[in-house]
Amino acid sequence: MGEWRKISGGVTAPKGYKAAGITAGLKASGLPDLALIVSDVDAIAAGVFTTSHVRAACVDYCRQILQVKPSARAILCNSGQANAATGEQGIKDAQESADLLARELGINPESILLASTGVIGQRIKMDALRGGIPKLVAVLSETGSEAASSAIITTDLVTKSIALETTIGDRPVRIGGIAKGSGMIHPNMATMLAFVTCDAAVSPHLWQQMLTRSANKTFNSITVDGDTSTNDSLIALTNGQSRTPAITEMGIEGDKLEGMLTEVCQYLAKAIARDGEGATCLIEVEVIGAHTEVAARQIAKTIAGSSLVKSAIFGRDPNWGRIAGAAGRAGVPFEQDDLSIKLGDFLLFQNGQPVNFDKAAASTYLKQAAEGAYLQDDTVKISVNIGSGNSSGKAWGCDLSYDYVKINAHYTT
């Protein structure tokens, strides 16, 4: 794990945070659907949001708040209705959500950030929200992270949570995170939500830069189905309650904190890809030999997102031609004679030429990954070398099964 260790607690592991999750009646299923994360003090806030031109009201709301003042006390997330493409009334509903919570917490509405997930075109059920907010605030707890993580999911099969700890200035510093996402997942903040808390003291511009770089290497490098959501949001708070020296520029301490932030984001991103709708395994693609990290990630994301590659892996077919084809259309120039491809430990293609390999054994490798679903050995690893460059990059995805179509064919019916 490097210079940090895994701990329990999720978003309430860092000092000075409470969280809660309840069933407010937003979901017809009766499952938990309203979550809250609160910092005891004002926290530096940063965010990365969907690049879609069709955006949820909460996304525009958060962007406007963070442009004026990069700080916040609370994150409120409703699950069940996306409140996207809901017009002027959707914007009013978002603002009322913040106002209601602000009155209950005794803080300014501008100190609250919002997130929503669910069916596009559906407004938040405001009557349920109005009744739920007082109950939500009443159960805020330093052990409420798991309840919050359960309240933000939709088609997810599992909750997604992590917390890490390191030492800065001889004092412990912690970062925790929760996330949701299973379908409508594709690079460019691809519906996914992630909330990160930290107790370090970091300057606002540096915290935003750290989060953006971490997102590019993690959440922006996953894909399930090629669809970017209207609601994608990654929001990170850091409140300084660790009482460590303030980090105002990159250096040894800044690098350590960003490394831990990236580790948290990568864990959550992989958990989303692993839990892709209908998926039976996680796919990890690593590209080496590129001239830039961006180019390497672009090829890796193209391979991980290829429907043909994903279908072949679901069929346990080690069809390296589909991998080669995806690499070639990624928009990154390289010499075909430099291309090599490995599937796990199986070398399939080397220096532009097919290689004899045990197809049955390679197929078994793919089957074993599916049998290890939701465990740490459920990963199909694809390695691609495109030349003699010094840069590399990774992307994560999942296989494409029959169940993906079943889940999404009747999503609103």
Side-chain angles (χ1 to χ4, degrees):
M1 192 65 75
E3 300 178 87
W4 40 83
R5 66 184 184 91
K6 193 172 182 179
I7 58 174
S8 61
V11 290
T12 53
K15 291 183 179 179
Y17 292 95
K18 297 181 179 68
I22 65 166
T23 299
L26 299 169
K27 290 179 180 174
S29 65
L31 294 172
D33 49 26
L34 194 60
L36 177 62
I37 301 168
V38 177
S39 172
D40 292 343
V41 299
D42 285 342
I44 299 301
V48 179
F49 302 96
T50 182
T51 58
S52 174
H53 292 291
V54 179
R55 297 180 301 275
C58 58
V59 170
D60 288 340
Y61 173 89
C62 287
R63 282 175 166 167
Q64 291 168 5
I65 292 290
L66 293 177
Q67 284 175 359
V68 175
K69 182 172 65 76
S71 65
R73 282 284 303 277
I75 302 169
L76 175 68
C77 178
N78 74 278
S79 177
Q81 299 86 44
N83 199 24
T86 49
E88 187 66 28
Q89 189 57 51
I91 297 172
K92 292 178 180 179
D93 290 343
Q95 185 62 59
E96 183 184 352
S97 300
D99 293 341
L100 289 167
L101 180 59
R103 284 198 293 270
E104 199 67 30
L105 291 174
I107 63 177
N108 293 324
E110 293 77 15
S111 295
I112 295 168
L113 298 174
L114 304 174
S116 300
T117 183
V119 179
I120 294 171
Q122 292 188 2
R123 289 174 49 205
I124 300 170
K125 294 180 180 178
M126 293 305 293
D127 286 343
L129 188 80
R130 294 182 190 109
I133 283 180
K135 299 174 184 176
L136 184 66
V137 172
V139 295
L140 276 169
S141 166
E142 293 178 353
T143 59
S145 181
E146 184 57 33
S149 67
S150 296
I152 67 174
I153 63 175
T154 50
T155 59
D156 308 53
L157 296 179
V158 295
T159 57
K160 302 160 181 71
S161 175
I162 188 175
L164 300 177
E165 181 182 78
T166 191
T167 301
I168 292 178
D170 297 324
R171 295 183 66 87
V173 170
R174 295 175 174 181
I175 300 180
I178 60 174
K180 67 86 53 180
S182 185
M184 211 178 205
I185 307 294
H186 189 60
N188 298 323
M189 278 306 297
T191 296
M192 68 144 277
L193 301 175
F195 309 122
V196 174
T197 58
C198 178
D199 52 19
V202 188
S203 62
H205 76 282
L206 197 60
W207 186 235
Q208 180 64 62
Q209 290 172 1
M210 287 181 178
L211 188 67
T212 299
R213 287 192 292 262
S214 295
N216 285 335
K217 294 177 181 178
T218 59
F219 292 111
N220 281 343
S221 293
I222 60 173
T223 182
V224 168
D225 47 23
D227 278 295
T228 298
S229 169
T230 57
N231 291 57
D232 295 331
S233 300
L234 165 60
I235 299 173
L237 306 179
T238 189
N239 64 10
Q241 293 301 288
S242 63
R243 307 300 180 189
T244 52
I247 300 173
T248 59
E249 60 185 20
M250 295 306 293
I252 294 175
E253 293 178 345
D255 289 343
K256 181 186 287 190
L257 187 68
E258 184 173 332
M260 189 163 70
L261 176 62
T262 301
E263 186 74 19
V264 165
C265 290
Q266 179 176 293
Y267 177 92
L268 295 173
K270 289 171 67 175
I272 289 173
R274 177 177 279 115
D275 193 24
E277 290 173 342
T280 67
C281 62
L282 176 70
I283 301 171
E284 179 178 281
V285 182
E286 181 176 26
V287 174
I288 64 173
H291 292 298
T292 68
E293 184 179 339
V294 171
R297 286 205 305 268
Q298 184 170 328
I299 295 175
K301 288 189 287 187
T302 303
I303 295 170
S306 165
S307 295
L308 289 177
V309 172
K310 291 155 63 71
S311 298
I313 290 175
F314 174 68
R316 320 310 171 205
D317 179 9
N319 188 341
W320 59 263
R322 293 181 175 181
I323 300 171
R329 66 174 173 83
V332 176
F334 61 86
E335 294 298 326
Q336 179 173 307
D337 289 344
D338 292 333
L339 180 64
S340 297
I341 299 171
K342 287 180 68 177
L343 178 66
D345 293 329
F346 296 92
L347 180 64
L348 313 181
F349 190 77
Q350 186 174 31
N351 297 329
Q353 298 290 328
V355 174
N356 289 326
F357 66 96
D358 188 334
K359 187 174 181 179
S363 180
T364 298
Y365 165 74
L366 295 174
K367 292 176 184 176
Q368 289 173 340
E371 291 168 357
Y374 301 111
L375 301 176
Q376 292 306 306
D377 61 349
D378 66 343
T379 305
V380 170
K381 294 188 176 182
I382 297 172
S383 304
V384 176
N385 190 333
I386 63 166
S388 58
N390 295 321
S391 297
S392 63
K394 289 183 179 181
W396 296 271
C398 59
D399 59 342
L400 182 59
S401 73
Y402 309 130
D403 285 339
Y404 178 85
V405 177
K406 291 179 182 178
I407 291 167
N408 285 282
H410 306 288
Y411 192 73
T412 65
T413 57

